[in-house]
């Protein structure tokens, strides 16, 4: 009996998605809840599982098609799919041939005999590095491949010496000098959404950016002094982001307009801080939300951000991870940015941009000294935040970072 495969619920206010990739083709065996297709929504990639074990009998939509929540995209014929999906187990159950033993399969054949389900991040890495996933031994849960496995295999392949040729082969004709090429690639739904939201932010909001610089000496000293004890106790590295999250919380409590939003003809003020943290994902920039960051410890903040960063790399962020947020921190410094004017993340009204730390000469007590300095940028919607409020908020963040004791005494 054929079972229908439907587009699952994709999250609040999300009603459609684009078929990004088929993970199984007609005739392939599928297990219960095994992903058979990957859908791209406005924010994340969503895998569609099989409702039954059996054989994928038909694909009803093509890659690139737009599908609605609840739409039928494929059918699965229930039956012996579970057994077919695990030929290795079936082989063990079968009696051994009596005349003569068959030749032992090669390692590559053993790996390829058990079909693997690859996550979107792993599939992208396989295509990017040009490696055969069936020849790689996975280190993830249940032996599944991770992105790191693919990268390691690609590096090992690159480092391996080329086999000596038994006979000289003719060299291919050299490409014409000055050859010009073009490539057209359809924008993913995520990239289209990013483009629309950023353009909308520029058109709807009265954007302005205020700058300051911050001396990182005290934070670096505190981090160096306690990073080993912190990691030993909490199992996570002590980074700079938790300091800035705490400092931003102080600023948002003192200057509520920076943590507010315009909704229709009303201004909504929040007495909590849900912090959107911009992280880089394979398909573009995403902003998962650390909720109630104003109530969290340094360790809880670091653990939450690290978990979201890992999910972003693996392509497993969910719609729930991305919804909400009252304020955003974007750290362009990890990519080497010296200064930028970040764009707000609607409907939020402000975003804090962090940049790279570099030694610069500054005046201290009438003397020129070298200090680790960072430029800070606060972009804000001038419709709701006045310049005085924006400058005050950024000054509070600067003072808290330069004197971390303020973070402890809420000053």
């Amino acid at each position: 009996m054929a079972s229908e495969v439907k587009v699952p619920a994709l999250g609040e206010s999300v009603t459609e998605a684009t078929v990004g990739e088929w993970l199984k083709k007609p005739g392939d065996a599928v297990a219960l809840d095994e992903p058979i297709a990957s859908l791209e929504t406005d924010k994340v990639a969503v895998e569609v599982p099989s409702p039954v074990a059996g054989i994928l009998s038909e694909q009803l939509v093509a890659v690139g098609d737009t599908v609605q929540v609840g739409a039928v995209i494929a059918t699965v014929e229930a039956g012996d799919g579970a057994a077919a999906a695990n030929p290795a187990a079936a082989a063990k159950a079968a009696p051994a041939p009596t005349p003569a033993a068959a030749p032992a399969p090669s390692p590559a054949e053993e790996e390829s005999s058990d079909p693997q389900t690859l996550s979107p991040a792993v599939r992208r890495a396989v295509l990017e590095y040009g490696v055969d996933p069936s020849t790689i031994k996975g280190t993830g849960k249940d032996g599944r491949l991770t992105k790191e496995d693919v990268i390691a295999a690609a590096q090992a392949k690159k480092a391996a010496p080329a086999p000596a040729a038994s006979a000289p082969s003719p060299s291919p004709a050299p490409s014409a000098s000055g050859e010009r090429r073009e490539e057209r690639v359809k924008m993913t739904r995520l990239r289209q959404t990013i483009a629309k939201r950023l353009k909308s932010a520029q058109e709807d909001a009265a954007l302005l950016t205020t700058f300051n610089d911050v001396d990182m000496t005290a934070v670096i000293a505190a981090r160096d002094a306690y990073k080993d004890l912190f990691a030993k106790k909490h199992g996570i590295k002590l980074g700079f982001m938790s300091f800035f999250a705490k400092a931003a919380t102080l600023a948002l409590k003192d200057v509520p307009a920076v943590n507010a939003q315009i909704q229709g003809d009303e201004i909504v003020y929040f007495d909590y801080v849900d912090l959107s943290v911009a992280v880089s994902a394979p398909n573009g920039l995403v902003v998962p939300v650390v909720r109630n960051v104003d109530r969290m410890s340094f360790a809880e903040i670091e653990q939450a951000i690290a978990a979201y960063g890992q999910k972003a790399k693996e392509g497993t962020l969910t719609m729930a991870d991305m919804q909400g947020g009252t304020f955003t921190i974007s750290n362009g410094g990890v990519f080497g940015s010296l200064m930028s004017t970040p764009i707000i993340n609607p409907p939020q009204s402000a975003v804090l941009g962090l940049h790279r730390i570099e030694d610069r000469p500054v005046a201290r007590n009438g003397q020129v000294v070298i200090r680790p300095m960072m430029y800070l940028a606060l972009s804000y919607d001038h419709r709701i935040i006045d310049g005085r409020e924006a400058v005050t908020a950024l000054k509070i963040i600067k003072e808290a970072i330069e004197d971390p004791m303020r973070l402890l005494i809420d000053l």
Side-chain angles (χ1 to χ4, degrees), residues 126-144:
V126 166
L127 294 175
E128 178 181 352
Y129 291 98
V131 296
D132 182 359
S134 65
T135 63
I136 306 173
K137 186 173 181 59
T139 60
K141 184 178 179 181
D142 299 328
R144 297 184 70 173

Side-chain angles (χ1 to χ4, degrees), residues 6 58 93 97 107 135 138 162 168 221 231 251 254 274 307 367 405 411:
K6 298 182 178 180
E58 187 179 9
T135 63
D254 285 354
D274 284 351
Q367 300 292 323
M405 182 60 71
L411 182 60

Side-chain angles (χ1 to χ4, degrees), residues 42-390:
D42 291 348
K43 296 181 179 180
V44 294
V46 178
E47 291 183 339
V48 182
S50 173
V52 295
I55 304 295
L56 180 63
S57 54
E58 187 179 9
Q59 297 173 350
L60 302 179
V61 293
V63 171
D65 286 355
T66 297
V67 291
Q68 304 292 322
V69 172
V72 179
I73 62 172
T75 57
V76 175
E77 191 69 34
D80 297 329
N86 194 352
K92 290 181 181 178
T98 53
S106 65
E109 290 172 336
E110 288 183 338
E111 293 292 335
S112 62
S113 66
D114 191 6
Q116 304 181 60
T117 300
L118 307 181
S119 71
V122 173
R123 288 194 296 275
R124 284 189 289 269
V126 166
L127 294 175
E128 178 181 352
Y129 291 98
V131 296
D132 182 359
S134 65
T135 63
I136 306 173
K137 186 173 181 59
T139 60
K141 184 178 179 181
D142 299 328
R144 297 184 70 173
L145 285 184
T146 66
K147 182 179 179 181
E148 288 71 22
D149 295 333
V150 176
I151 294 174
Q155 292 174 342
K157 180 180 178 181
K158 186 176 180 180
S166 56
S169 58
S171 301
S175 60
S177 60
E179 180 182 1
R180 291 154 56 93
R181 300 179 58 191
E182 294 181 359
E183 181 181 8
R184 292 181 181 269
V185 179
K186 183 178 176 60
M187 293 175 67
T188 64
R189 177 176 285 268
L190 173 61
R191 176 52 61 183
Q192 292 179 46
T193 301
I194 291 173
K196 291 177 182 178
R197 286 174 62 84
L198 293 182
K199 188 59 180 174
S200 174
Q202 289 183 317
E203 293 175 347
D204 295 340
L207 289 179
L208 193 64
T209 304
T210 184
F211 298 94
N212 214 321
D213 61 357
V214 59
D215 187 341
M216 298 290 291
T217 300
V219 165
I220 291 175
R223 182 171 177 261
D224 289 344
Y226 298 108
K227 62 181 181 181
D228 292 337
L229 291 174
F230 188 90
K232 182 177 180 180
K233 180 176 181 178
H234 301 291
I236 190 72
K237 292 182 179 180
L238 177 59
F240 295 129
M241 186 61 78
S242 53
F243 286 93
F244 279 101
K246 284 287 189 180
T249 296
L250 287 181
L252 299 180
K253 293 294 185 180
D254 285 354
V255 189
V258 182
N259 194 46
Q261 297 176 6
I262 294 178
Q263 296 183 9
D265 59 356
E266 297 178 332
I267 298 176
V268 181
Y269 295 92
F270 304 97
D271 67 351
Y272 55 86
V273 178
D274 284 351
L275 183 65
S276 300
V277 182
V279 296
S280 181
N283 280 347
L285 196 69
V286 293
V287 278
V289 180
V290 182
R291 305 185 193 282
N292 297 313
V293 73
D294 50 315
R295 305 177 190 173
M296 300 174 72
S297 67
F298 278 73
E300 290 170 335
I301 294 172
E302 292 290 353
Q303 289 165 348
I305 293 174
Y308 278 142
Q310 185 62 33
K311 291 179 73 173
K313 291 180 181 178
E314 296 173 350
T316 57
L317 284 171
T318 66
M319 294 296 299
D321 295 333
M322 316 281 284
Q323 292 172 344
T326 62
F327 183 76
T328 294
I329 296 181
S330 178
N331 186 6
V334 296
F335 304 109
S337 173
L338 176 64
M339 185 180 291
S340 67
T341 54
I343 300 178
I344 63 173
N345 178 25
Q348 297 173 21
S349 300
V351 54
L352 176 67
L354 310 183
H355 302 90
R356 77 169 185 252
I357 303 170
E358 64 174 9
D359 289 340
R360 293 202 300 269
V362 294
R364 293 289 185 269
N365 300 320
Q367 300 292 323
V368 176
V369 295
I370 303 298
R371 293 294 175 86
M373 304 296 294
M374 176 197 287
Y375 287 116
L376 301 179
L378 182 70
S379 291
Y380 59 98
D381 187 348
H382 213 339
R383 296 178 302 166
I384 182 175
I385 303 171
D386 294 331
R388 176 184 59 83
E389 294 171 317

